[in-house]
Amino acid sequence: MRIALYRLLAVLLPLALLEILCRDRFITPLTLPAPSQILLGLWAVIEKGTFNAAILKTLTNVGLAFVLSVVVGITTGAAIHRARLLRALLEPLFSTYYAIPIYAFYPLFIVVFGLGDAPQVLIGFMLAVVSMIVSTLAGLDSVPPVLGKTALVLQLGPVETVRSVTLPYAAPYLFTGVKLAVAYAFIGVIGAEFIMSGTGLGYEIRFAYDNLDNNVMYPLILLILLIAITVNMSLDRWEWRLRARRGHG
Amino acid sequence: MDPQSPIHVSLRGVTKVFVSGLGRTHALGPIDIDLRRGEFFAVVGPSGCGKSTLLDVIAALTPPSQGAVTFEGRPIGNTVPDGVGVVFQENACFPWLNVADNITFGLRRQPVDKTEIEQRLQYALQLMGLQDFAHAFPSQLSGGMRQRVCIARTLVMQPRLILLDEPFGALDQQTRLLMGDELLRIWRATGATVLLITHALDEAAMLADRVAVMSARPGRILEVIETGWPRERDSQIVSVPEFGAITARLWTLLRAQSMQALRPEAV
Ligand SMILES: Nc1ncnc2c1ncn2[C@@H]1O[C@H](COP(=O)(O)OP(=O)(O)OP(=O)(O)O)[C@@H](O)[C@H]1O
Ligand SMILES: [Mg+2]
């Protein structure tokens, strides 16, 4: 309870300071409007519904990139885990993967897939999928051999073993991958919208920025922040419940 | 034990050599044993002599390097035969399932109807003293209770051959004796053949019809000792004079082997 209070203070105190600085014109509204202004702006934006289409588009694309990366990541991870040679081949690639600036390929994706949603989703997917594969591998590595033997004694086939024994055991590891995948999907999709696209929250922020429209830009940034925090907190809560039940036994 | 009983499991010239990047480990054998149907057979041996490996080979969890195992007259292949249940040395509970779901895990994947599953579950919970913990998760149980969950999970499958690898390793002496009584009761009630691996000589001497003593690695059978106990027996047998004689005999055989296992270079 006390922790929750401190946490709230840790957020509210800097905000209050910022509010004072902005109202004192120490920070000009051209640089940053007061937090209360931004909040009111967000309310106005939501009430008018001007950006509903953009919000929906971004959330859909993030959702697509996320679901795709989780499904493909887990299946690929499980498959690679069984194929030792393939894994030895791919593992160095995974560990250097995040050194590759994926955005550098974005123009290529646009040339290939056109200006629709596919390039953004692809960027989000490509960023997210490898972390999902890597955490699936780590999770499957953590399964004690005796559980595999138990599955054999209970006459489970290889697919059923993965589905009912090894993946459930690896769930805490998978969760790390899922959380990263959410973050990467957001970064990938919004970043791509920002760079080159005609729709979505990233595009709208960019557009407002180009027009020096702070009354739109900051509320939209705040909106993205709130969405990301909400998603992350629900995932944290879910994970916490999962872990509490399993304990460390 | 009735020597007229048919042979249930038979091992002929079974050896196991592990080959890895680090070299070859001759873990086991050659071993020849026959388990009779319905017999309670115990195996004792020094640490690392290949007892768990022996169990893996019998359950077809790992192929022997040489030799053959037959179960119910058929050579075992590379899948665990029907009717074989195993309780492993390590904790094999599924941490994401509660006790009841752990116990019925295998059963729910068999063509067994719901009421039957429920009946067998209740029976197993009762037998293992887990009635109050059906909805608890493994992390909330003691090591000994987790092992009982694993025993229950094996029992509900109604195996004809039960392999147990030091199932009471995590228990204190008193509980061990009582669990031994339970094991005897299960054995009589099910008519299953039991192979119990243990490092506790008194446990082997009290529970088994026959006790095989294994040598230090590579494990071979040094001697098989017939206890001659009646089928109706329990832990009170520890007070009869023959019990002391059998335990002493086991210890004489094992002492040298255990010393060798501890200090291989000194022998
Ligand atoms: N998968 C494996 N690869 C290589 N060596 C192995 C493997 N499994 C077991 N061994 C080796 O085989 C020998 C016998 O092991 P095993 O686990 O069967 O002994 P044990 O009698 O069950 O020991 P304990 O009493 O400690 O349980 C040991 O020297 C062990 O290091
Ligand atoms: Mg062992």
PDB file of all heavy atoms in Angstrom, chain A residues 149, chain B residues 16-20 23-28 45-56 62 89-90 165-166 197-199 214 217 219, ligand 1:
ATOM      1  N   LYS A 149      10.937 -37.316 -19.761  1.00  0.00           N
ATOM      2  CA  LYS A 149      10.795 -38.756 -19.514  1.00  0.00           C
ATOM      3  C   LYS A 149       9.381 -39.074 -19.049  1.00  0.00           C
ATOM      4  O   LYS A 149       8.790 -40.079 -19.465  1.00  0.00           O
ATOM      5  CB  LYS A 149      11.786 -39.197 -18.437  1.00  0.00           C
ATOM      6  CG  LYS A 149      13.228 -39.280 -18.911  1.00  0.00           C
ATOM      7  CD  LYS A 149      14.075 -39.878 -17.806  1.00  0.00           C
ATOM      8  CE  LYS A 149      15.551 -39.842 -18.152  1.00  0.00           C
ATOM      9  NZ  LYS A 149      16.367 -40.365 -17.037  1.00  0.00           N
TER      10      LYS A 149
ATOM     11  N   LYS B  16      25.179 -50.561 -20.717  1.00  0.00           N
ATOM     12  CA  LYS B  16      24.954 -49.198 -21.203  1.00  0.00           C
ATOM     13  C   LYS B  16      26.255 -48.417 -21.127  1.00  0.00           C
ATOM     14  O   LYS B  16      26.891 -48.338 -20.076  1.00  0.00           O
ATOM     15  CB  LYS B  16      23.886 -48.494 -20.349  1.00  0.00           C
ATOM     16  CG  LYS B  16      23.565 -47.093 -20.819  1.00  0.00           C
ATOM     17  CD  LYS B  16      22.805 -47.086 -22.135  1.00  0.00           C
ATOM     18  CE  LYS B  16      22.673 -45.685 -22.712  1.00  0.00           C
ATOM     19  NZ  LYS B  16      21.892 -45.672 -23.965  1.00  0.00           N
ATOM     20  N   VAL B  17      26.665 -47.905 -22.270  1.00  0.00           N
ATOM     21  CA  VAL B  17      27.848 -47.048 -22.344  1.00  0.00           C
ATOM     22  C   VAL B  17      27.398 -45.697 -22.875  1.00  0.00           C
ATOM     23  O   VAL B  17      26.786 -45.625 -23.940  1.00  0.00           O
ATOM     24  CB  VAL B  17      28.915 -47.658 -23.286  1.00  0.00           C
ATOM     25  CG1 VAL B  17      30.131 -46.748 -23.367  1.00  0.00           C
ATOM     26  CG2 VAL B  17      29.303 -49.051 -22.834  1.00  0.00           C
ATOM     27  N   PHE B  18      27.645 -44.648 -22.097  1.00  0.00           N
ATOM     28  CA  PHE B  18      27.310 -43.300 -22.574  1.00  0.00           C
ATOM     29  C   PHE B  18      28.494 -42.759 -23.357  1.00  0.00           C
ATOM     30  O   PHE B  18      29.621 -42.789 -22.889  1.00  0.00           O
ATOM     31  CB  PHE B  18      27.011 -42.368 -21.400  1.00  0.00           C
ATOM     32  CG  PHE B  18      25.719 -42.663 -20.716  1.00  0.00           C
ATOM     33  CD1 PHE B  18      25.701 -43.275 -19.470  1.00  0.00           C
ATOM     34  CD2 PHE B  18      24.507 -42.334 -21.311  1.00  0.00           C
ATOM     35  CE1 PHE B  18      24.508 -43.541 -18.828  1.00  0.00           C
ATOM     36  CE2 PHE B  18      23.304 -42.597 -20.674  1.00  0.00           C
ATOM     37  CZ  PHE B  18      23.305 -43.202 -19.430  1.00  0.00           C
ATOM     38  N   VAL B  19      28.233 -42.292 -24.561  1.00  0.00           N
ATOM     39  CA  VAL B  19      29.292 -41.679 -25.360  1.00  0.00           C
ATOM     40  C   VAL B  19      28.956 -40.200 -25.515  1.00  0.00           C
ATOM     41  O   VAL B  19      27.853 -39.851 -25.927  1.00  0.00           O
ATOM     42  CB  VAL B  19      29.379 -42.340 -26.749  1.00  0.00           C
ATOM     43  CG1 VAL B  19      30.529 -41.745 -27.547  1.00  0.00           C
ATOM     44  CG2 VAL B  19      29.537 -43.841 -26.606  1.00  0.00           C
ATOM     45  N   SER B  20      29.876 -39.360 -25.114  1.00  0.00           N
ATOM     46  CA  SER B  20      29.653 -37.927 -25.270  1.00  0.00           C
ATOM     47  C   SER B  20      30.966 -37.292 -25.714  1.00  0.00           C
ATOM     48  O   SER B  20      31.965 -37.980 -25.913  1.00  0.00           O
ATOM     49  CB  SER B  20      29.185 -37.317 -23.953  1.00  0.00           C
ATOM     50  OG  SER B  20      30.254 -37.293 -23.037  1.00  0.00           O
ATOM     51  N   GLY B  23      33.948 -38.216 -23.646  1.00  0.00           N
ATOM     52  CA  GLY B  23      34.482 -39.575 -23.635  1.00  0.00           C
ATOM     53  C   GLY B  23      33.393 -40.598 -23.416  1.00  0.00           C
ATOM     54  O   GLY B  23      32.208 -40.296 -23.545  1.00  0.00           O
ATOM     55  N   ARG B  24      33.825 -41.839 -23.110  1.00  0.00           N
ATOM     56  CA  ARG B  24      32.874 -42.916 -22.907  1.00  0.00           C
ATOM     57  C   ARG B  24      32.740 -43.228 -21.432  1.00  0.00           C
ATOM     58  O   ARG B  24      33.732 -43.284 -20.712  1.00  0.00           O
ATOM     59  CB  ARG B  24      33.368 -44.183 -23.626  1.00  0.00           C
ATOM     60  CG  ARG B  24      33.424 -44.063 -25.151  1.00  0.00           C
ATOM     61  CD  ARG B  24      34.400 -45.079 -25.729  1.00  0.00           C
ATOM     62  NE  ARG B  24      34.146 -46.419 -25.213  1.00  0.00           N
ATOM     63  CZ  ARG B  24      33.269 -47.268 -25.767  1.00  0.00           C
ATOM     64  NH1 ARG B  24      32.611 -46.921 -26.840  1.00  0.00           N
ATOM     65  NH2 ARG B  24      33.080 -48.463 -25.249  1.00  0.00           N
ATOM     66  N   THR B  25      31.497 -43.389 -20.967  1.00  0.00           N
ATOM     67  CA  THR B  25      31.257 -43.802 -19.596  1.00  0.00           C
ATOM     68  C   THR B  25      30.554 -45.147 -19.623  1.00  0.00           C
ATOM     69  O   THR B  25      29.438 -45.246 -20.134  1.00  0.00           O
ATOM     70  CB  THR B  25      30.349 -42.792 -18.859  1.00  0.00           C
ATOM     71  OG1 THR B  25      30.861 -41.485 -19.080  1.00  0.00           O
ATOM     72  CG2 THR B  25      30.306 -43.096 -17.372  1.00  0.00           C
ATOM     73  N   HIS B  26      31.250 -46.171 -19.131  1.00  0.00           N
ATOM     74  CA  HIS B  26      30.587 -47.462 -19.019  1.00  0.00           C
ATOM     75  C   HIS B  26      29.772 -47.432 -17.742  1.00  0.00           C
ATOM     76  O   HIS B  26      30.313 -47.541 -16.648  1.00  0.00           O
ATOM     77  CB  HIS B  26      31.633 -48.581 -18.993  1.00  0.00           C
ATOM     78  CG  HIS B  26      31.017 -49.947 -19.019  1.00  0.00           C
ATOM     79  ND1 HIS B  26      31.755 -51.095 -19.051  1.00  0.00           N
ATOM     80  CD2 HIS B  26      29.717 -50.344 -19.028  1.00  0.00           C
ATOM     81  CE1 HIS B  26      30.944 -52.146 -19.058  1.00  0.00           C
ATOM     82  NE2 HIS B  26      29.707 -51.708 -19.049  1.00  0.00           N
ATOM     83  N   ALA B  27      28.460 -47.237 -17.867  1.00  0.00           N
ATOM     84  CA  ALA B  27      27.620 -47.005 -16.696  1.00  0.00           C
ATOM     85  C   ALA B  27      27.064 -48.297 -16.129  1.00  0.00           C
ATOM     86  O   ALA B  27      26.800 -48.386 -14.928  1.00  0.00           O
ATOM     87  CB  ALA B  27      26.476 -46.052 -17.053  1.00  0.00           C
ATOM     88  N   LEU B  28      26.870 -49.296 -16.958  1.00  0.00           N
ATOM     89  CA  LEU B  28      26.051 -50.421 -16.516  1.00  0.00           C
ATOM     90  C   LEU B  28      26.437 -51.720 -17.205  1.00  0.00           C
ATOM     91  O   LEU B  28      26.732 -51.736 -18.401  1.00  0.00           O
ATOM     92  CB  LEU B  28      24.579 -50.099 -16.836  1.00  0.00           C
ATOM     93  CG  LEU B  28      23.513 -51.045 -16.280  1.00  0.00           C
ATOM     94  CD1 LEU B  28      23.440 -50.893 -14.771  1.00  0.00           C
ATOM     95  CD2 LEU B  28      22.168 -50.731 -16.908  1.00  0.00           C
ATOM     96  N   GLY B  45      22.528 -50.348  -4.332  1.00  0.00           N
ATOM     97  CA  GLY B  45      23.861 -50.203  -4.912  1.00  0.00           C
ATOM     98  C   GLY B  45      24.442 -48.863  -4.537  1.00  0.00           C
ATOM     99  O   GLY B  45      23.695 -47.950  -4.198  1.00  0.00           O
ATOM    100  N   PRO B  46      25.769 -48.755  -4.612  1.00  0.00           N
ATOM    101  CA  PRO B  46      26.405 -47.494  -4.237  1.00  0.00           C
ATOM    102  C   PRO B  46      26.025 -46.368  -5.190  1.00  0.00           C
ATOM    103  O   PRO B  46      25.577 -46.611  -6.309  1.00  0.00           O
ATOM    104  CB  PRO B  46      27.900 -47.807  -4.319  1.00  0.00           C
ATOM    105  CG  PRO B  46      28.018 -49.004  -5.191  1.00  0.00           C
ATOM    106  CD  PRO B  46      26.752 -49.780  -5.009  1.00  0.00           C
ATOM    107  N   SER B  47      26.217 -45.150  -4.732  1.00  0.00           N
ATOM    108  CA  SER B  47      25.853 -43.983  -5.516  1.00  0.00           C
ATOM    109  C   SER B  47      26.593 -43.971  -6.858  1.00  0.00           C
ATOM    110  O   SER B  47      27.783 -44.258  -6.920  1.00  0.00           O
ATOM    111  CB  SER B  47      26.200 -42.733  -4.716  1.00  0.00           C
ATOM    112  OG  SER B  47      25.906 -41.605  -5.466  1.00  0.00           O
ATOM    113  N   GLY B  48      25.856 -43.689  -7.921  1.00  0.00           N
ATOM    114  CA  GLY B  48      26.465 -43.576  -9.246  1.00  0.00           C
ATOM    115  C   GLY B  48      26.776 -44.902  -9.920  1.00  0.00           C
ATOM    116  O   GLY B  48      27.496 -44.946 -10.909  1.00  0.00           O
ATOM    117  N   CYS B  49      26.224 -46.018  -9.393  1.00  0.00           N
ATOM    118  CA  CYS B  49      26.579 -47.320  -9.948  1.00  0.00           C
ATOM    119  C   CYS B  49      25.728 -47.663 -11.162  1.00  0.00           C
ATOM    120  O   CYS B  49      25.925 -48.683 -11.808  1.00  0.00           O
ATOM    121  CB  CYS B  49      26.447 -48.411  -8.894  1.00  0.00           C
ATOM    122  SG  CYS B  49      24.753 -48.863  -8.518  1.00  0.00           S
ATOM    123  N   GLY B  50      24.753 -46.813 -11.493  1.00  0.00           N
ATOM    124  CA  GLY B  50      23.964 -47.077 -12.695  1.00  0.00           C
ATOM    125  C   GLY B  50      22.543 -47.547 -12.405  1.00  0.00           C
ATOM    126  O   GLY B  50      21.883 -48.093 -13.291  1.00  0.00           O
ATOM    127  N   LYS B  51      22.053 -47.309 -11.200  1.00  0.00           N
ATOM    128  CA  LYS B  51      20.699 -47.762 -10.856  1.00  0.00           C
ATOM    129  C   LYS B  51      19.643 -47.047 -11.696  1.00  0.00           C
ATOM    130  O   LYS B  51      18.744 -47.675 -12.250  1.00  0.00           O
ATOM    131  CB  LYS B  51      20.424 -47.519  -9.351  1.00  0.00           C
ATOM    132  CG  LYS B  51      21.396 -48.214  -8.421  1.00  0.00           C
ATOM    133  CD  LYS B  51      21.041 -48.012  -6.956  1.00  0.00           C
ATOM    134  CE  LYS B  51      21.175 -46.585  -6.480  1.00  0.00           C
ATOM    135  NZ  LYS B  51      22.556 -46.071  -6.480  1.00  0.00           N
ATOM    136  N   SER B  52      19.766 -45.733 -11.781  1.00  0.00           N
ATOM    137  CA  SER B  52      18.783 -44.983 -12.571  1.00  0.00           C
ATOM    138  C   SER B  52      18.889 -45.353 -14.045  1.00  0.00           C
ATOM    139  O   SER B  52      17.882 -45.407 -14.760  1.00  0.00           O
ATOM    140  CB  SER B  52      18.992 -43.479 -12.396  1.00  0.00           C
ATOM    141  OG  SER B  52      18.778 -43.111 -11.059  1.00  0.00           O
ATOM    142  N   THR B  53      20.103 -45.605 -14.489  1.00  0.00           N
ATOM    143  CA  THR B  53      20.303 -46.027 -15.871  1.00  0.00           C
ATOM    144  C   THR B  53      19.605 -47.355 -16.129  1.00  0.00           C
ATOM    145  O   THR B  53      18.946 -47.543 -17.160  1.00  0.00           O
ATOM    146  CB  THR B  53      21.804 -46.151 -16.171  1.00  0.00           C
ATOM    147  OG1 THR B  53      22.448 -44.921 -15.805  1.00  0.00           O
ATOM    148  CG2 THR B  53      22.058 -46.453 -17.631  1.00  0.00           C
ATOM    149  N   LEU B  54      19.727 -48.276 -15.159  1.00  0.00           N
ATOM    150  CA  LEU B  54      19.057 -49.575 -15.271  1.00  0.00           C
ATOM    151  C   LEU B  54      17.556 -49.385 -15.446  1.00  0.00           C
ATOM    152  O   LEU B  54      16.916 -50.004 -16.303  1.00  0.00           O
ATOM    153  CB  LEU B  54      19.358 -50.412 -14.022  1.00  0.00           C
ATOM    154  CG  LEU B  54      18.609 -51.730 -13.889  1.00  0.00           C
ATOM    155  CD1 LEU B  54      19.068 -52.713 -14.964  1.00  0.00           C
ATOM    156  CD2 LEU B  54      18.811 -52.345 -12.499  1.00  0.00           C
ATOM    157  N   LEU B  55      16.992 -48.492 -14.633  1.00  0.00           N
ATOM    158  CA  LEU B  55      15.557 -48.233 -14.702  1.00  0.00           C
ATOM    159  C   LEU B  55      15.180 -47.648 -16.067  1.00  0.00           C
ATOM    160  O   LEU B  55      14.195 -48.060 -16.683  1.00  0.00           O
ATOM    161  CB  LEU B  55      15.166 -47.273 -13.577  1.00  0.00           C
ATOM    162  CG  LEU B  55      13.708 -46.833 -13.524  1.00  0.00           C
ATOM    163  CD1 LEU B  55      13.230 -46.872 -12.081  1.00  0.00           C
ATOM    164  CD2 LEU B  55      13.532 -45.446 -14.078  1.00  0.00           C
ATOM    165  N   ASP B  56      15.983 -46.712 -16.560  1.00  0.00           N
ATOM    166  CA  ASP B  56      15.706 -46.114 -17.870  1.00  0.00           C
ATOM    167  C   ASP B  56      15.710 -47.176 -18.973  1.00  0.00           C
ATOM    168  O   ASP B  56      14.888 -47.134 -19.889  1.00  0.00           O
ATOM    169  CB  ASP B  56      16.749 -45.040 -18.196  1.00  0.00           C
ATOM    170  CG  ASP B  56      16.460 -43.721 -17.481  1.00  0.00           C
ATOM    171  OD1 ASP B  56      15.454 -43.667 -16.764  1.00  0.00           O
ATOM    172  OD2 ASP B  56      17.248 -42.776 -17.642  1.00  0.00           O
ATOM    173  N   THR B  62      15.830 -45.278 -22.567  1.00  0.00           N
ATOM    174  CA  THR B  62      17.101 -45.183 -23.258  1.00  0.00           C
ATOM    175  C   THR B  62      17.447 -46.587 -23.752  1.00  0.00           C
ATOM    176  O   THR B  62      17.173 -47.561 -23.050  1.00  0.00           O
ATOM    177  CB  THR B  62      18.194 -44.606 -22.330  1.00  0.00           C
ATOM    178  OG1 THR B  62      19.397 -44.460 -23.058  1.00  0.00           O
ATOM    179  CG2 THR B  62      18.454 -45.490 -21.130  1.00  0.00           C
ATOM    180  N   GLN B  89      13.457 -40.432  -9.706  1.00  0.00           N
ATOM    181  CA  GLN B  89      14.216 -39.972  -8.549  1.00  0.00           C
ATOM    182  C   GLN B  89      14.013 -38.468  -8.325  1.00  0.00           C
ATOM    183  O   GLN B  89      13.878 -38.021  -7.203  1.00  0.00           O
ATOM    184  CB  GLN B  89      15.697 -40.264  -8.820  1.00  0.00           C
ATOM    185  CG  GLN B  89      16.614 -40.064  -7.648  1.00  0.00           C
ATOM    186  CD  GLN B  89      18.015 -40.614  -7.927  1.00  0.00           C
ATOM    187  OE1 GLN B  89      18.330 -41.022  -9.048  1.00  0.00           O
ATOM    188  NE2 GLN B  89      18.851 -40.618  -6.926  1.00  0.00           N
ATOM    189  N   GLU B  90      13.981 -37.700  -9.414  1.00  0.00           N
ATOM    190  CA  GLU B  90      13.818 -36.255  -9.300  1.00  0.00           C
ATOM    191  C   GLU B  90      12.340 -35.911  -9.221  1.00  0.00           C
ATOM    192  O   GLU B  90      11.487 -36.692  -9.614  1.00  0.00           O
ATOM    193  CB  GLU B  90      14.424 -35.538 -10.514  1.00  0.00           C
ATOM    194  CG  GLU B  90      15.885 -35.828 -10.777  1.00  0.00           C
ATOM    195  CD  GLU B  90      16.070 -37.027 -11.704  1.00  0.00           C
ATOM    196  OE1 GLU B  90      15.052 -37.668 -12.045  1.00  0.00           O
ATOM    197  OE2 GLU B  90      17.221 -37.325 -12.063  1.00  0.00           O
ATOM    198  N   ASP B 165      12.253 -45.178  -8.545  1.00  0.00           N
ATOM    199  CA  ASP B 165      13.654 -44.813  -8.369  1.00  0.00           C
ATOM    200  C   ASP B 165      13.814 -43.961  -7.108  1.00  0.00           C
ATOM    201  O   ASP B 165      13.516 -42.773  -7.117  1.00  0.00           O
ATOM    202  CB  ASP B 165      14.147 -44.042  -9.599  1.00  0.00           C
ATOM    203  CG  ASP B 165      15.665 -43.958  -9.644  1.00  0.00           C
ATOM    204  OD1 ASP B 165      16.316 -44.333  -8.656  1.00  0.00           O
ATOM    205  OD2 ASP B 165      16.195 -43.508 -10.681  1.00  0.00           O
ATOM    206  N   GLU B 166      14.264 -44.571  -6.040  1.00  0.00           N
ATOM    207  CA  GLU B 166      14.444 -43.890  -4.753  1.00  0.00           C
ATOM    208  C   GLU B 166      13.289 -42.940  -4.450  1.00  0.00           C
ATOM    209  O   GLU B 166      13.490 -41.742  -4.237  1.00  0.00           O
ATOM    210  CB  GLU B 166      15.774 -43.129  -4.744  1.00  0.00           C
ATOM    211  CG  GLU B 166      16.933 -44.051  -5.070  1.00  0.00           C
ATOM    212  CD  GLU B 166      18.277 -43.467  -4.664  1.00  0.00           C
ATOM    213  OE1 GLU B 166      18.307 -42.540  -3.840  1.00  0.00           O
ATOM    214  OE2 GLU B 166      19.294 -43.966  -5.164  1.00  0.00           O
ATOM    215  N   ILE B 197      14.145 -49.149  -6.597  1.00  0.00           N
ATOM    216  CA  ILE B 197      15.552 -48.804  -6.455  1.00  0.00           C
ATOM    217  C   ILE B 197      15.697 -47.970  -5.201  1.00  0.00           C
ATOM    218  O   ILE B 197      14.897 -47.065  -4.957  1.00  0.00           O
ATOM    219  CB  ILE B 197      16.041 -48.015  -7.685  1.00  0.00           C
ATOM    220  CG1 ILE B 197      16.125 -48.968  -8.870  1.00  0.00           C
ATOM    221  CG2 ILE B 197      17.384 -47.366  -7.425  1.00  0.00           C
ATOM    222  CD1 ILE B 197      16.340 -48.285 -10.176  1.00  0.00           C
ATOM    223  N   THR B 198      16.674 -48.301  -4.389  1.00  0.00           N
ATOM    224  CA  THR B 198      16.821 -47.570  -3.134  1.00  0.00           C
ATOM    225  C   THR B 198      18.270 -47.614  -2.691  1.00  0.00           C
ATOM    226  O   THR B 198      19.051 -48.440  -3.157  1.00  0.00           O
ATOM    227  CB  THR B 198      15.914 -48.165  -2.028  1.00  0.00           C
ATOM    228  OG1 THR B 198      16.218 -47.537  -0.794  1.00  0.00           O
ATOM    229  CG2 THR B 198      16.115 -49.656  -1.886  1.00  0.00           C
ATOM    230  N   HIS B 199      18.657 -46.677  -1.845  1.00  0.00           N
ATOM    231  CA  HIS B 199      19.975 -46.796  -1.249  1.00  0.00           C
ATOM    232  C   HIS B 199      19.861 -47.190   0.218  1.00  0.00           C
ATOM    233  O   HIS B 199      20.848 -47.354   0.906  1.00  0.00           O
ATOM    234  CB  HIS B 199      20.783 -45.505  -1.419  1.00  0.00           C
ATOM    235  CG  HIS B 199      20.091 -44.306  -0.859  1.00  0.00           C
ATOM    236  ND1 HIS B 199      19.663 -43.261  -1.647  1.00  0.00           N
ATOM    237  CD2 HIS B 199      19.724 -44.004   0.397  1.00  0.00           C
ATOM    238  CE1 HIS B 199      19.070 -42.369  -0.876  1.00  0.00           C
ATOM    239  NE2 HIS B 199      19.084 -42.797   0.362  1.00  0.00           N
ATOM    240  N   MET B 214      24.043 -54.301  -6.287  1.00  0.00           N
ATOM    241  CA  MET B 214      24.845 -53.924  -7.445  1.00  0.00           C
ATOM    242  C   MET B 214      26.250 -53.505  -7.034  1.00  0.00           C
ATOM    243  O   MET B 214      26.466 -52.989  -5.947  1.00  0.00           O
ATOM    244  CB  MET B 214      24.177 -52.785  -8.225  1.00  0.00           C
ATOM    245  CG  MET B 214      23.106 -53.258  -9.180  1.00  0.00           C
ATOM    246  SD  MET B 214      22.235 -51.898  -9.964  1.00  0.00           S
ATOM    247  CE  MET B 214      23.390 -51.453 -11.248  1.00  0.00           C
ATOM    248  N   ARG B 217      30.204 -48.677 -10.167  1.00  0.00           N
ATOM    249  CA  ARG B 217      30.147 -48.510 -11.614  1.00  0.00           C
ATOM    250  C   ARG B 217      31.347 -49.159 -12.309  1.00  0.00           C
ATOM    251  O   ARG B 217      32.460 -48.981 -11.853  1.00  0.00           O
ATOM    252  CB  ARG B 217      30.141 -47.009 -11.926  1.00  0.00           C
ATOM    253  CG  ARG B 217      29.918 -46.680 -13.380  1.00  0.00           C
ATOM    254  CD  ARG B 217      29.724 -45.191 -13.546  1.00  0.00           C
ATOM    255  NE  ARG B 217      30.926 -44.455 -13.180  1.00  0.00           N
ATOM    256  CZ  ARG B 217      31.925 -44.230 -14.023  1.00  0.00           C
ATOM    257  NH1 ARG B 217      31.879 -44.694 -15.241  1.00  0.00           N
ATOM    258  NH2 ARG B 217      32.985 -43.554 -13.644  1.00  0.00           N
ATOM    259  N   GLY B 219      27.810 -50.843 -13.009  1.00  0.00           N
ATOM    260  CA  GLY B 219      27.002 -51.663 -12.137  1.00  0.00           C
ATOM    261  C   GLY B 219      26.692 -53.041 -12.690  1.00  0.00           C
ATOM    262  O   GLY B 219      26.173 -53.181 -13.784  1.00  0.00           O
TER     263      GLY B 219
HETATM  264  N1  LIG C   1      23.056 -39.099 -20.008  1.00  0.00           N
HETATM  265  C1  LIG C   1      24.245 -39.461 -19.515  1.00  0.00           C
HETATM  266  N2  LIG C   1      25.376 -39.185 -20.184  1.00  0.00           N
HETATM  267  C2  LIG C   1      26.593 -39.541 -19.695  1.00  0.00           C
HETATM  268  N3  LIG C   1      26.775 -40.187 -18.532  1.00  0.00           N
HETATM  269  C3  LIG C   1      25.694 -40.502 -17.815  1.00  0.00           C
HETATM  270  C4  LIG C   1      24.374 -40.156 -18.256  1.00  0.00           C
HETATM  271  N4  LIG C   1      23.489 -40.589 -17.318  1.00  0.00           N
HETATM  272  C5  LIG C   1      24.221 -41.164 -16.361  1.00  0.00           C
HETATM  273  N5  LIG C   1      25.542 -41.120 -16.644  1.00  0.00           N
HETATM  274  C6  LIG C   1      26.628 -41.682 -15.836  1.00  0.00           C
HETATM  275  O1  LIG C   1      26.336 -43.029 -15.584  1.00  0.00           O
HETATM  276  C7  LIG C   1      26.666 -43.400 -14.265  1.00  0.00           C
HETATM  277  C8  LIG C   1      25.468 -43.999 -13.565  1.00  0.00           C
HETATM  278  O2  LIG C   1      24.484 -42.985 -13.385  1.00  0.00           O
HETATM  279  P1  LIG C   1      23.095 -43.291 -12.660  1.00  0.00           P
HETATM  280  O3  LIG C   1      22.348 -42.022 -12.598  1.00  0.00           O
HETATM  281  O4  LIG C   1      22.454 -44.437 -13.326  1.00  0.00           O
HETATM  282  O5  LIG C   1      23.588 -43.722 -11.204  1.00  0.00           O
HETATM  283  P2  LIG C   1      22.703 -44.050  -9.915  1.00  0.00           P
HETATM  284  O6  LIG C   1      23.125 -45.381  -9.444  1.00  0.00           O
HETATM  285  O7  LIG C   1      21.275 -43.852 -10.196  1.00  0.00           O
HETATM  286  O8  LIG C   1      23.219 -42.939  -8.907  1.00  0.00           O
HETATM  287  P3  LIG C   1      22.449 -42.321  -7.628  1.00  0.00           P
HETATM  288  O9  LIG C   1      22.463 -43.336  -6.558  1.00  0.00           O
HETATM  289  O10 LIG C   1      23.287 -41.131  -7.271  1.00  0.00           O
HETATM  290  O11 LIG C   1      21.088 -41.954  -8.090  1.00  0.00           O
HETATM  291  C9  LIG C   1      27.210 -42.160 -13.599  1.00  0.00           C
HETATM  292  O12 LIG C   1      28.614 -42.211 -13.616  1.00  0.00           O
HETATM  293  C10 LIG C   1      26.717 -41.026 -14.474  1.00  0.00           C
HETATM  294  O13 LIG C   1      27.641 -39.961 -14.469  1.00  0.00           O
END
